[in-house]
Amino acid sequence: MPAELIDGKAIAAAIRAEVAVAVAALRARGVVPGLTVVLVGDDPASATYVGAKEKASREVGMAGTTIRLPASTAQGELLALVDRLNADPAVHGILVQMPLPAHLDPDVVIRRIDPAKDVDGFHPVNVGKLLIGHTDGFVSCTPAGVLELLRRSGVALRGAEAVVIGRSNIVGKPMAALLVQPGIDATVTVCHSRSRDLAAHVRRADILIAAVGRAEMVTGDMLKPGAVVIDVGMNSVSDPSHPRGRRLCGDVHFPSAVAVASRITPVPGGVGPMTIAMLLGNTVRAAEWAAPAGGVA
Ligand code: NDP
């Protein structure tokens, strides 16, 4: 029997609806959650992501703003903007779209964002809170979205063998940190480009999370029968049969994996929609924390 699809679009829509309810409650108290996205330069993929974030934030009733800066922006100018946004009470969430032009240092910029407004969850304070298990920080949106997909699909996590392929700071590492937390209780293996015998690790996985950026590298024959497969990868590959000559695919070879897995996310329509939904969730939480009910708004 082919694997059941985990419908990221539907789960993301449910989360957005929940966020909209929370936004309405805040607005009733005179608080309009505000998300400001900063885009430096004119990378077309980044421009698309930023546009989607602004649109999504407005759809749930937030004040969504994008500040576009030229690629030539100096580091000092960008930091001065971050300082202004940090000080602006109408801005609850700040997101500086990555990657930045090469002359700008992303680590310096991320560290400048007030951790209480760092809705991307990239600031070292928030990364540290995740690792310690403190829940008053922000978790990077993509791994948070993956966990939410697993939870809302009823996947058993306690004691499960979870294998994460990829150790980036935005996906692989925070994913592993989330899964190993007490209360979630997976047994986690993290693989990377230096891992010996990737296939042997993958074969042990009850839950496989692929966040590599290599098109269709995980094939069905590598999987444990009945595994739950979450494909974070977003790769554009050439495909003459496709109208645009290219198609989007994941890090998992879907046609072979779907025959072996018990549940699997499609690409597109799996993890992708969750990332923005979790960003909205983080922003509404930032606004709630900034203006607690019964507190000073
Ligand atoms: P990075 O390039 O930052 O990290 C990729 C990781 O994969 C690295 O840790 C690298 O190892 C590892 N890797 C590379 N080759 C191999 C290999 N042959 N075997 C095992 N591990 C390998 O990517 P990201 O984490 O930023 O993104 C991963 C994928 O997820 C990309 O396709 C990206 O587009 C997608 N993505 C999707 C999002 C969504 O919303 N759906 C959001 C974010 C990312 P090493 O550290 O040793 O180099």
Side-chain angles (χ1 to χ4, degrees), residues 194-217:
R194 304 300 164 97
S195 296
R196 255 186 292 127
D197 201 353
L198 179 71
H201 291 292
V202 170
R203 194 174 307 285
R204 282 189 296 102
D206 301 313
I207 300 166
L208 177 73
I209 295 157
V212 192
R214 291 170 70 100
E216 300 176 330
M217 69 170 286

Side-chain angles (χ1 to χ4, degrees), residues 55 113 144 259:
K55 181 166 170 278
I113 297 170

Side-chain angles (χ1 to χ4, degrees), residues 142 165-168 170-171 192-193 211-214 217 232-235 271-272 275:
T142 301
I165 318 179
R167 58 174 167 183
S168 73
I170 63 164
V171 190
H192 45 78
S193 67
V212 192
R214 291 170 70 100
M217 69 170 286
V232 181
M234 288 206 303
N235 310 291
V271 175
T275 299

Side-chain angles (χ1 to χ4, degrees), residues 159-251:
E161 289 278 351
V163 174
V164 180
I165 318 179
R167 58 174 167 183
S168 73
N169 288 330
I170 63 164
V171 190
K173 282 189 210 163
M175 188 76 250
L178 274 174
L179 289 167
V180 81
Q181 287 306 322
I184 298 173
D185 296 324
T187 302
V188 184
T189 302
V190 182
C191 298
H192 45 78
S193 67
R194 304 300 164 97
S195 296
R196 255 186 292 127
D197 201 353
L198 179 71
H201 291 292
V202 170
R203 194 174 307 285
R204 282 189 296 102
D206 301 313
I207 300 166
L208 177 73
I209 295 157
V212 192
R214 291 170 70 100
E216 300 176 330
M217 69 170 286
V218 176
T219 48
D221 59 326
M222 294 165 75
L223 298 173
K224 176 175 175 177
V228 175
V229 176
I230 307 288
D231 191 351
V232 181
M234 288 206 303
N235 310 291
S236 169
V237 292
S238 110
D239 182 350
S241 71
H242 199 274
R244 284 198 294 273
R246 302 193 73 76
R247 72 181 161 88
L248 189 65
C249 72
D251 294 337

Side-chain angles (χ1 to χ4, degrees), residues 52-292:
K53 287 166 187 171
E54 182 177 326
K55 181 166 170 278
S57 58
R58 290 185 179 209
E59 279 169 3
V60 294
M62 294 182 185
T65 311
T66 303
I67 297 176
R68 293 179 170 78
L69 300 176
S72 59
T73 301
Q75 175 116 333
E77 290 174 277
L78 180 55
L79 294 178
L81 171 63
V82 170
D83 289 345
R84 278 208 307 283
L85 297 174
N86 282 342
D88 185 343
V91 176
H92 300 99
I94 303 169
L95 185 156
V96 179
Q97 183 66 39
M98 301 291 161
L100 290 170
H103 67 282
L104 300 173
D105 184 337
D107 290 333
V108 172
V109 176
I110 289 166
R111 280 171 182 258
R112 193 69 162 243
I113 297 170
D114 179 349
K117 297 189 177 190
D118 166 43
V119 287
D120 244 348
F122 294 168
H123 191 286
V125 165
N126 285 316
V127 177
K129 284 183 175 178
L130 164 62
L131 211 56
I132 296 166
H134 291 182
T135 52
D136 63 339
F138 298 109
V139 178
S140 177
C141 300
T142 301
V146 170
L147 182 62
E148 210 52 35
L149 280 181
L150 291 168
R151 278 179 163 155
R152 293 189 185 224
S153 305
V155 173
L157 295 165
R158 181 171 302 156
E161 289 278 351
V163 174
V164 180
I165 318 179
R167 58 174 167 183
S168 73
N169 288 330
I170 63 164
V171 190
K173 282 189 210 163
M175 188 76 250
L178 274 174
L179 289 167
V180 81
Q181 287 306 322
I184 298 173
D185 296 324
T187 302
V188 184
T189 302
V190 182
C191 298
H192 45 78
S193 67
R194 304 300 164 97
S195 296
R196 255 186 292 127
D197 201 353
L198 179 71
H201 291 292
V202 170
R203 194 174 307 285
R204 282 189 296 102
D206 301 313
I207 300 166
L208 177 73
I209 295 157
V212 192
R214 291 170 70 100
E216 300 176 330
M217 69 170 286
V218 176
T219 48
D221 59 326
M222 294 165 75
L223 298 173
K224 176 175 175 177
V228 175
V229 176
I230 307 288
D231 191 351
V232 181
M234 288 206 303
N235 310 291
S236 169
V237 292
S238 110
D239 182 350
S241 71
H242 199 274
R244 284 198 294 273
R246 302 193 73 76
R247 72 181 161 88
L248 189 65
C249 72
D251 294 337
V252 177
H253 182 254
F254 189 87
S256 60
V258 77
V260 184
S262 62
R263 275 180 266 187
I264 188 166
T265 55
V267 177
V271 175
M274 294 298 290
T275 299
I276 290 185
M278 300 314 286
L279 173 68
L280 300 177
N282 279 351
T283 306
V284 84
R285 210 167 311 121
E288 283 167 351
W289 288 341

